[in-house]
């Protein structure tokens, strides 16, 4: 189901947690709310669920105003960060819970509930574990029970709060791929909250980057990574370098040196140059480049990270080079960013 | 410090000592002191109660217990517990639920208020009811004109007992429920459960062992309460004496065997409570651990 959030504002005892946030979630979409802690992403998720009510603004489920509906009436599936499985119930009872508590008129028969719960356990690859208790499961298995339980009520929208936050790196990666598969197979509209950019970029159809109670940018993972629209997004997503530069006659300058990057159409004046460590080319020349002395090198998996002292700008940048390129400390390296973005103060 | 050496001089057999461990002398010394204390102040008096009660043989023990006044006291005590404990079970769960799961103004005040019966002397607790329902109080004349007897009757004893034992269940549950948080309840609500279903199927099973523990302590106190009940009871023989009051009366009349026989029953209740409490702690320690941290 399509979910629209319109001009939502949420205050917790006068402190604004969300400020004029609007977001359209398309039906069947897998969308990530990404941001540092305190950015309001979990609050937004809980507002959509109905676990919080907005100070101002409206939430629409389809064409219906859901703002006045209780969490029970919204028919959502919520997966909590620490799963919140009912510890005194078996896996099967956990998954069936949403169906067994329905009033007699809307409740499927006992056999049907059991059949449906077992199907879901099969979908989340937990067949045979239905008699276990949550305490007897691993973290990843609990996560999958929580997801099956949320899906059992055939929710309008699936909401996941830091779904992989409490798992170790290996399980995390596996579950990520697996969640994408489940989503593609079931087609639930899904929103998940994460502070892990790899997770958001790898998994989501669209990523919503949030900061300080506002949405900074909404876009596909490619758009977010390749064309960040604010210094915050550029700095938050992936690695980045920042240099103070000056625009003069369509050229970029660091103090008295042109760095060989033309910025046609940019107004003259000071600016911040943002570029990623791998978006560079090495040069031999002396002019029209950024040059620095090697301060430190680190080998990280398939690349060599080189930290340079840029004397002129009195700052440091990090660039990524192929590992074959051996550099000694204090040797001089000249380069030029190939992809970059300017932000004014 | 001279004492924090990591090795000891008690022989070559002793290897490097754990930093928090003491020398053998200190360990046995401390254990010995503790054991002496327990024997002198707990085991000895308890043994005395049983031997005094059995002084003239088990025959007389049962004879004095079947005395009509004593029997009435036992009945009254059970009646008071049967009324007070369920009431405080409901009140305690309600108070803990409100405090642990919701945010509201005056919450800190309410939490403090729950502890009030623990911090006030039981005699004062009893006097409160005398001031409230006595013949010179505000409510007294009205009650009298309607023929309602609260003081020096069963209702007064029940009220005083409820008041004194109120904190047991609530205090046991508040830390436990706070530790468990609200996400289980939120999960149930998000799956469509009503408030009542959430409480019945999710909250209650989560707190059942802590609740039982609280009820156990509440019951022990309800049956053993002396001070507050003494003030409101009026000591009418065969009518408003509970077991602890009966013990005092019998003792003051130099009827030692009878006094100790009734005391034996109270002591047995205490022992039974202790055993059940230990069993609960052993079996469900993880689930009630939170409540023992305060």
């Amino acid at each position: 189901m399509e979910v629209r959030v319109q001009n939502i504002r949420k205050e917790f005892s006068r402190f604004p947690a969300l400020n004029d946030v609007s977001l359209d979630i398309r039906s069947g979409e897998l969308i990530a709310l990404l941001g540092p802690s305190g950015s309001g992403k979990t609050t937004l998720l809980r507002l959509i669920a109905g676990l919080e009510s907005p100070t101002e603004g409206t939430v629409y489920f389809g064409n219906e105003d859901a703002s006045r509906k209780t969490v029970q009436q919204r028919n959502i599936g919520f997966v909590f960060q620490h799963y919140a499985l009912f510890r005194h119930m078996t896996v099967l009872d956990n998954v069936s819970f949403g169906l067994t508590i329905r009033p007699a008129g809307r409740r499927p028969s006992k056999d049907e509930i059991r059949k449906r719960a077992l199907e879901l356990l099969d979908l989340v690859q937990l067949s045979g574990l239905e008699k276990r208790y949550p305490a007897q499961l691993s973290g990843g298995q609990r996560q999958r029970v929580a997801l099956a339980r949320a899906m059992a009520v055939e929710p309008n929208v699936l909401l996941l709060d830091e779904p992989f936050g409490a798992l170790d790196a290996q399980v995390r990666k596996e579950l990520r791929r697996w969640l994408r598969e489940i989503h593609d197979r079931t087609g639930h509209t899904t929103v998940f909250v994460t502070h892990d950019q790899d997770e958001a970029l790898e998994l989501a159809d669209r990523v919503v980057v949030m900061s300080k109670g506002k949405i900074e940018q909404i876009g596909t993972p490619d758009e977010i990574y390749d064309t960040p629209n604010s210094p915050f997004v550029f700095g938050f997503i992936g690695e980045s370098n920042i240099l103070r530069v000056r625009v003069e006659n369509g050229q970029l300058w660091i103090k008295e040196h042109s760095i060989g990057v033309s910025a046609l159409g940019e107004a003259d004046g000071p600016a911040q140059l943002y570029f990623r460590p791998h978006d560079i080319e090495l040069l031999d020349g002396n002019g029209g480049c950024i040059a620095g002395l090697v301060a430190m090198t680190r080998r990280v998996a398939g690349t060599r990270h080189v930290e340079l002292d840029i004397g002129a700008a009195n700052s440091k940048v990090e660039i990524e080079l192929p590992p074959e390129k051996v550099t000694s400390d204090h040797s001089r390296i000249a380069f030029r960013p190939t992809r970059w973005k300017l932000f004014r103060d | 410090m001279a004492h924090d050496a990591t090795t000891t001089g008690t022989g070559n057999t002793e290897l490097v000592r754990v930093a928090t461990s003491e020398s053998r002398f200190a360990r046995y010394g401390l254990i010995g002191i503790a054991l002496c204390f327990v024997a002198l102040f707990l085991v000895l008096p308890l043994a005395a109660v049983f031997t005094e009660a059995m002084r003239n043989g088990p025959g007389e023990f049962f004879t004095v217990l079947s005395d009509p006044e004593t029997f009435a006291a036992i009945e009254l005590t059970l009646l008071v517990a049967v009324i007070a404990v369920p009431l405080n079970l409901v009140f305690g769960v309600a108070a803990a639920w409100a405090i642990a799961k919701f945010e509201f103004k005056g919450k800190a005040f309410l939490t403090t208020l729950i502890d009030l019966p623990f911090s006030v002397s039981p005699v004062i607790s009893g006097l409160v009811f005398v001031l409230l329902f006595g013949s010179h109080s505000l409510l007294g004349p009205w009650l009298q004109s309607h023929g309602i007897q609260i003081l020096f009757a069963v209702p007064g004893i029940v009220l005083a007992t409820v008041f004194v034992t109120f904190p047991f269940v609530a205090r046991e549950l508040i830390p436990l429920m706070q530790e468990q948080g609200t996400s289980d309840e939120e999960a149930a609500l998000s799956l469509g459960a009503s408030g009542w279903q959430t409480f019945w199927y999710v909250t209650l099973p989560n707190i059942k062992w802590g609740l039982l523990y609280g009820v156990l302590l509440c019951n022990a106190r309800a049956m053993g309460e002396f001070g507050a009940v003494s003030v409101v009871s009026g000591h009418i023989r065969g009518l408003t004496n509970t077991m602890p009051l009966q013990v005092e009366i019998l003792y003051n009349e130099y009827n030692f065997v009878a006094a100790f026989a009734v005391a034996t029953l109270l002591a047995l209740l205490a022992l039974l409570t202790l055993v059940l409490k230990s069993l609960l702690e052993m079996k469900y320690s993880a689930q009630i651990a939170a409540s023992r941290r305060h």
Side-chain angles (χ1 to χ4, degrees):
Chain A
M1 182 175 283
E2 189 179 78
V3 176
R4 277 182 302 140
V5 173
Q6 239 169 39
N7 306 99
I8 286 278
R9 179 179 169 76
K10 174 68 181 171
E11 288 177 5
F12 288 113
S13 52
R14 298 251 182 99
F15 169 77
L18 286 176
N19 210 339
D20 197 22
V21 166
S22 297
L23 174 65
D24 282 4
I25 300 162
R26 299 173 202 133
S27 191
E29 194 173 29
L30 180 56
I31 204 163
L33 305 180
L34 174 66
S37 56
S39 58
K41 53 192 193 301
T42 297
T43 307
L44 180 56
L45 193 78
R46 290 172 63 86
L47 276 164
I48 296 173
L51 291 169
E52 307 278 356
S53 54
T55 311
E56 272 171 50
T58 326
V59 178
Y60 291 97
F61 278 25
N63 291 321
E64 233 178 321
D65 181 358
S67 311
R68 302 274 162 263
K69 287 188 172 178
T70 62
V71 54
Q72 291 103 323
Q73 293 164 335
R74 291 192 197 189
N75 191 34
I76 48 107
F78 202 105
V79 176
F80 292 81
Q81 190 175 359
H82 298 288
Y83 324 131
L85 294 179
F86 307 131
R87 64 203 91 177
H88 58 280
M89 293 184 200
T90 61
V91 166
L92 187 71
D93 289 342
N94 263 285
V95 177
S96 326
F97 184 82
L99 297 174
T100 45
I101 50 140
R102 282 191 181 165
R106 294 196 298 121
R107 185 173 54 221
S109 73
K110 259 191 177 162
D111 290 342
E112 246 171 280
I113 292 176
R114 190 182 154 80
K115 191 169 148 255
R116 170 132 187 79
L118 287 174
E119 272 170 17
L120 278 165
L121 284 174
D122 191 40
L123 178 72
V124 300
Q125 296 162 6
L126 287 177
S127 297
L129 297 186
E130 64 268 14
K131 290 203 182 86
R132 297 257 190 108
Y133 284 88
Q136 298 166 311
L137 301 177
S138 71
Q141 289 171 331
R142 283 180 212 177
Q143 173 66 56
R144 287 184 272 162
V145 175
L147 189 69
R149 184 178 68 177
M151 287 195 296
V153 294
E154 283 162 28
N156 290 324
V157 52
L158 255 184
L159 305 165
L160 300 96
D161 187 7
E162 297 271 4
F164 313 115
L167 302 170
D168 54 58
Q170 195 57 41
V171 183
R172 231 175 162 147
K173 271 195 179 154
E174 258 169 50
L175 275 188
R176 224 187 264 172
R177 211 159 302 146
W178 168 86
L179 180 65
R180 180 76 231 188
E181 274 175 38
I182 294 260
H183 174 265
D184 293 345
R185 220 183 304 167
T186 58
H188 284 299
T189 308
T190 307
V191 186
F192 74 98
V193 157
T194 180
H195 62 263
D196 182 339
Q197 43 172 303
D198 292 343
E199 211 162 278
L201 296 178
E202 185 183 323
L203 195 52
D205 295 325
R206 284 197 302 156
V207 177
V208 178
V209 184
M210 298 184 67
S211 159
K212 293 180 185 157
K214 289 195 161 180
I215 291 180
E216 291 277 342
Q217 188 171 1
I218 306 174
T220 63
D222 285 350
E223 284 165 3
I224 296 282
Y225 192 82
D226 294 333
T227 53
N229 66 0
S230 70
F232 172 81
V233 178
F234 209 121
F236 185 67
I237 307 287
E239 301 289 321
S240 59
N241 290 303
I242 308 165
L243 281 176
R244 286 211 64 83
V245 296
R246 197 172 75 250
V247 185
E248 227 175 86
N249 303 325
Q251 291 287 317
L252 297 187
W253 299 73
I254 294 179
K255 291 199 173 154
E256 266 60 61
H257 308 281
S258 161
I259 61 171
V261 174
S262 56
L264 293 172
E266 289 279 350
D268 285 2
Q272 306 263 31
L273 175 71
Y274 280 72
F275 62 96
R276 304 218 183 268
H278 53 82
D279 286 336
I280 53 125
E281 55 180 350
L282 289 179
L283 298 169
D284 296 325
N286 279 320
C289 61
I290 303 173
L293 299 179
V294 176
M296 205 172 68
T297 63
R298 280 179 292 130
R299 170 74 190 267
V300 180
T303 50
R304 194 175 293 281
H305 293 221
V306 179
E307 201 178 297
L308 295 178
D309 256 323
I310 308 291
N314 216 0
S315 54
K316 285 191 170 148
V317 297
E318 190 168 294
I319 57 173
E320 284 173 22
L321 300 176
E324 312 85 71
K325 174 91 183 162
V326 181
T327 54
S328 55
D329 280 5
H330 307 300
S331 61
R332 183 177 178 278
I333 286 186
F335 70 95
R336 179 194 296 157
T338 50
R339 288 172 88 133
W340 46 268
K341 212 162 158 72
L342 280 184
F343 291 107
R344 305 286 171 157
D345 299 321
Chain B
M1 258 199 264
H3 231 70
D4 59 4
T6 48
T7 54
T8 57
T10 51
N12 330 342
T13 47
E14 194 122 5
L15 297 170
V16 179
R17 199 170 74 206
V18 184
T20 51
S21 169
E22 293 297 337
S23 71
R24 188 176 293 170
F25 177 74
R27 268 183 286 158
Y28 289 144
L30 287 170
I31 292 171
I33 292 172
L35 277 178
C36 280
F37 184 87
V38 169
L40 200 63
F41 288 94
L42 293 175
V43 178
L44 211 60
L46 204 58
V49 168
F50 284 98
T51 46
E52 281 296 324
M54 294 291 179
R55 173 171 294 230
N56 299 342
E60 190 169 344
F61 176 81
F62 289 111
T63 319
V64 293
L65 280 187
S66 53
D67 170 68
E69 280 174 18
T70 304
F71 196 73
I74 296 173
E75 269 184 335
L76 179 61
T77 299
L78 290 176
L79 176 71
V80 168
V82 163
I83 299 171
V85 172
L87 279 179
N88 274 339
L89 176 98
V90 175
F91 293 158
V93 171
W97 167 271
I99 284 171
K101 311 276 181 187
F102 299 97
E103 289 301 325
F104 54 89
K105 271 185 189 163
K107 186 164 142 174
F109 181 66
L110 183 62
T111 315
T112 318
L113 215 58
I114 286 176
D115 277 343
L116 185 74
F118 274 175
S119 49
V120 167
S121 158
V123 177
I124 313 251
S125 311
L127 274 177
V128 168
F129 291 100
V130 172
L131 291 174
L132 206 60
F133 301 118
S135 48
H136 299 293
S137 70
L138 273 174
L139 289 171
W142 186 88
L143 288 170
Q144 235 159 17
S145 65
H146 287 77
I148 302 169
Q149 182 75 26
I150 289 188
L151 278 188
F152 315 128
V154 177
I157 297 172
V158 170
L159 279 176
T161 308
V162 167
F163 180 82
V164 171
T165 58
F166 176 66
F168 284 100
V169 172
R171 276 190 57 148
E172 205 56 54
L173 292 184
I174 289 167
L176 181 65
M177 285 172 124
Q178 274 173 338
E179 170 144 316
Q180 288 178 346
T182 52
S183 59
D184 279 20
E185 280 79 14
E186 284 181 340
L189 293 175
S190 77
L191 291 167
S194 66
W196 179 248
Q197 283 175 321
T198 303
F199 175 75
W200 197 250
Y201 294 120
V202 176
T203 308
L204 201 57
N206 276 348
I207 59 166
K208 62 183 168 193
W209 299 117
L211 185 63
L212 195 58
Y213 191 83
V215 164
L216 202 64
L217 297 181
C218 179
N219 180 58
R221 181 67 186 269
M223 291 189 172
E225 174 56 26
F226 180 84
V229 169
S230 173
V231 174
V232 296
S233 113
H235 305 271
I236 306 166
R237 291 184 166 230
L239 279 179
T240 64
N241 276 338
T242 59
M243 280 161 73
L245 301 184
Q246 185 72 9
V247 173
E248 195 207 16
I249 288 174
L250 292 169
Y251 186 83
N252 286 345
E253 290 171 346
Y254 305 105
N255 193 348
F256 294 133
V257 173
F260 281 111
V262 182
T264 310
L265 295 182
L266 284 171
L268 281 175
L269 170 73
L271 287 177
L272 184 70
T273 305
L274 269 180
V275 169
L276 288 175
K277 184 170 159 264
S278 310
L279 277 178
L280 272 180
E281 278 177 358
M282 235 157 50
K283 252 191 130 167
Y284 305 103
S285 55
Q287 286 167 55
I288 44 181
S291 57
R292 264 181 286 135
R293 243 175 259 146
H294 62 248

